[in-house]
Amino acid sequence: MSLRDRIVVVTGAAQGLGAAIATGAADAGATVVGADLVPTAPDGRIEIRQLDVTDESQWEDFAGWLRREHGACHGLVNNAGITMRSRLGEVSLADWNRTLAINATGPMLGMQALMDLMPAGSSIVNIASIAALTGHFAIPYTASKWALRGLSRAASLELGPRGIRVNAVMPGLMATAMTSDVPQGVSDALLGSVPLARPPLPATSPRSSCSCSATSPHT
C-alpha cells in the first residue's frame, strides 16, 4: 500500500499505538502530522503538533494550520485515549466525564474540524477497543468505546455519500503504557483467547475491525 502524496493526521501519536500508526503511515509514504499533549515525535519524519483533543478551539486552530500548510487531509486516525478502570459503584462523575471527553468527544471534534479538508477517497479510522464489542467491568472506558463505535457508524452514514470512509478498529490487549497497570487476573483473562497467550506489540498487533463504511455492512 502506498500513501504517497497523502496527508495523514494521527492523534495520540507521541507513544504507544499512535506512534506505531504514525510510523507505519510514514513508511507507506504519507506526510504524517501527529497531534498529542506532549509534542514529542516518535520519528524524524513525523511532525507533532500540541493538541488537547477535548478542546474545540484547539481543533479549529489545528484545522486552520493544516489547511495553510498542506491544503488537505486524506486520513485521520483518532487514536488518542485513556483508560479508566473504575467499577459502577466507584466511578466518579469527574472520571466519567474525562474518559468520555477524550475517548468519544475528542474523535467527534476531530472529524468535525477536518472533514471539510477531506476530498473523496479520504479515510477516518477511529481506534476503539474489543471492549466496544463485549462487556467489561471498566465502566467509563467500556462506555466510551461503545460510544465511539456508534459514533463511527453514524458518521459513516453522513460522510459516505461524500466518498469519505469511516471505520472503527477494535484492538485487544496490547503491551503499551496504557495497559502496564492492568491487574494480573484481568490480563490473564483477556489473554486467554490469544493463541500465543501474550499481548502483541503496537506495531504487530492483529486487530479485529468493525467496518462502518456506508458502502459496507456493519459487523
Side-chain angles (χ1 to χ4, degrees):
M1 180 181 66
S2 174
L3 295 177
R4 183 174 298 176
D5 300 324
R6 298 293 187 267
I7 311 301
V8 176
V9 173
V10 181
T11 67
Q15 63 177 338
L17 180 59
I21 293 169
T23 300
D27 288 344
T31 297
V32 181
V33 179
D36 206 299
L37 284 174
V38 180
T40 303
D43 186 304
R45 299 168 297 172
I46 299 164
E47 179 176 6
I48 296 282
R49 306 283 297 183
Q50 191 166 23
L51 174 69
D52 178 350
V53 297
T54 70
D55 190 314
E56 184 177 13
S57 64
Q58 289 191 31
W59 269 115
E60 291 172 353
D61 291 344
F62 180 88
W65 172 86
L66 194 67
R67 183 185 296 276
R68 292 190 302 272
E69 292 296 315
H70 298 289
C73 176
H74 302 97
L76 168 62
V77 182
N78 283 308
N79 165 78
I82 62 169
T83 186
M84 191 65 65
R85 300 192 181 92
S86 303
R87 296 196 176 197
L88 182 60
E90 305 166 344
V91 62
S92 69
L93 181 58
D95 285 344
W96 171 269
N97 287 340
R98 180 168 179 262
T99 306
L100 269 289
I102 294 172
N103 292 0
T105 304
M108 187 274 292
L109 292 174
M111 289 190 288
Q112 276 188 332
L114 301 186
M115 65 183 191
D116 287 340
L117 290 173
M118 305 184 85
S122 298
S123 177
I124 296 170
V125 178
N126 294 322
I127 306 299
S129 167
I130 196 171
L133 300 174
T134 58
H136 287 251
F137 285 112
I139 291 292
Y141 179 79
T142 298
S144 71
K145 293 303 184 178
W146 275 82
L148 183 56
R149 177 185 171 192
L151 171 63
S152 302
R153 178 56 173 167
S156 75
L157 299 176
E158 181 173 345
L159 298 180
R162 296 171 55 172
I164 300 172
R165 301 183 305 280
V166 182
N167 287 276
V169 178
M170 318 294 181
L173 185 68
M174 280 185 289
T176 68
M178 182 182 289
T179 62
S180 62
D181 62 345
V182 173
Q184 189 63 48
V186 174
S187 176
D188 290 344
L190 291 172
L191 293 175
S193 62
V194 178
L196 291 179
R198 66 187 184 198
L201 298 173
T204 60
S205 173
R207 304 172 196 136
S208 61
S209 64
C210 168
S211 178
C212 297
S213 297
T215 55
S216 62
H218 187 218
T219 58

